[in-house]
Amino acid sequence: MSRLVVVSNRIAIPDGSKASAGGLAVGILDALQDTGGLWFGWNGEISEFSGEDEDEELTQLEHNGITYASLPLNQNDYDQYYLQFSNTVIWPAFHYRLDLVEYQREAWDGYCRVNTLLAQRLKPLLQPDDILWIHDYHLLPFAAELRKLGINNRIGFFLHIPFPTPEIFNALPPHQELLEMMSDYDLLGFQTESDRVAFLDSLSQLTQLQNKGEKKHLAFGNTFMTEVYPIGIEPDTIKEMAEGPLPPKMAAMKRDLGDLQNIIACERLDYSKGLPERFLAYEALLANFPQHRGKVRYSQIAPTSRGDVQAYQDIRHQLETEAGRINGKYGTLGWTPLYYLNQHFDRRLLMKIFRLTNVGLITPLRDGMNLVAKEYVAAQDPDNPGVLVLSRFAGAAQELTSALIVNPYDRDDVAAALDRALTMPRTERISRYNDMMAVLRKQDISHWRESFLKDLNTLPVRSEDHGTVNKVATFPKLA
């Protein structure tokens, strides 16, 4: 029976706390527990080691049948691999913000160096029949580094963020190197069909791309498969979190709201989320539909992320300024129209907040999927659900078609959708909710996980010369 090995930039090391796991952790922990497996990656710590004598830095922990293997990075590697290349080159470019890309050759070298380091440290832990599942944009070169070390196991990759069109991607100086490296994976998974097509279009502009049938391709001498696997949630778990008695703080919040309708939005502070545009759309609601003044509140939860990156500092300042301006313009002594909370909320509490609100406002400028949109729907009261207003540029819009789909760049469009959501009849709200819940249950996190691993397991194993042999490993069906 093949063992599953998961590799991600950060790993969720169990520490006994009640902190809720993020989307990636929820998606793979069950798989690791079912098969027995290894989760490998950076532990989030900065070390003083030079990179030459790092053997003693690798730590391993066994918990519930899973081995967690992690290591720290030194300051230079962290700066170049994580802050500079991953988050000031790949992240903005893949979210269609070339204006924010700050490419430095040293950062690219550091990005490749850390991928090499991680591959070297993982190799001794691998078994011949292991199946490897690599996650996200920090590790685009990882399979190529493993292949250099003679690792011929099946290696799959899933990109959690969008993949940009060739006009964007090919503007990156190392775009050809990245595409060649990505072709060393056996399976490349994307959130949406448009992301998959964008990747193939970028390839076809640089090299001869041969179609081998069943979404299998040949490029740069490698045969690989591409497929779409929209990541899901556990809707019934979210529903359970949202139900039940309210804690004292939540009960006080409900009393404070009174008859006010509440619009909620929650995401980490990031320029890809369209927060300034959303603030202006809410202002347009108050301007274009004055009947809502004094009767609605917009609560924006946006905890700081990557606070040491200048672009994130700038957007925080911008939001603070806009929130103050809107409240100053429309607020009264008895009514504050916009609550902006730059803080983290426990996930279980957040689901209860979602259930109390009338509208979920999720309008990113570009997003791979956006699980918050799915969680908002799953948290609703089936007999009196709120309405989801969702950006067409979120991957979730491909599935949640019964949401009110908007263009986040058009503030009047978003304002009109908010007015419609706030006045929507209960029967229509229930119908839309039921449609979306059916999708969430069909394409839940288990379906995402099982579909990817099933496809990866059916692919042939590479031979020593990077060809393939028709050997199919035994891999259990995940419950």
Side-chain angles (χ1 to χ4, degrees), residues 296-351:
V296 66
R297 175 189 295 171
Y298 166 27
S299 301
Q300 174 66 60
I301 300 171
T304 298
S305 69
R306 302 170 188 160
D308 41 5
V309 177
Q310 184 61 45
Y312 293 83
Q313 299 171 14
D314 293 344
I315 192 173
R316 178 176 179 176
H317 176 72
Q318 183 181 3
L319 293 178
E320 290 168 350
T321 300
E322 288 295 333
R325 184 185 61 78
I326 292 170
N327 283 331
K329 181 177 180 179
Y330 289 99
T332 66
L333 290 176
W335 174 60
T336 302
L338 195 163
Y339 279 27
Y340 168 51
L341 305 174
N342 186 228
Q343 56 190 267
H344 174 76
F345 279 71
D346 176 80
R347 188 161 175 258
R348 187 173 295 272
L349 178 62
L350 193 58
M351 296 308 111

Side-chain angles (χ1 to χ4, degrees), residues 254-302:
K254 187 175 182 180
R255 289 193 301 270
D256 183 48
L257 276 174
D259 294 330
L260 288 178
Q261 290 185 285
N262 197 22
I263 301 168
I264 188 75
C266 177
E267 52 262 293
R268 63 184 182 81
L269 193 63
D270 190 283
Y271 49 78
S272 68
K273 302 301 182 182
L275 298 179
E277 291 82 1
R278 193 181 306 166
F279 279 22
L280 295 177
Y282 177 63
E283 181 181 20
L285 170 74
L286 301 179
N288 300 346
F289 303 92
Q291 64 270 27
H292 293 298
R293 296 179 192 174
K295 298 179 181 179
V296 66
R297 175 189 295 171
Y298 166 27
S299 301
Q300 174 66 60
I301 300 171

Side-chain angles (χ1 to χ4, degrees), residues 92-113:
F94 280 39
H95 287 86
Y96 290 72
R97 290 299 304 272
L98 276 177
D99 59 308
L100 296 178
V101 169
E102 298 178 9
Y103 175 79
Q104 302 174 61
R105 181 72 196 191
E106 295 80 3
W108 163 245
D109 292 341
Y111 179 74
C112 294
R113 182 176 65 249

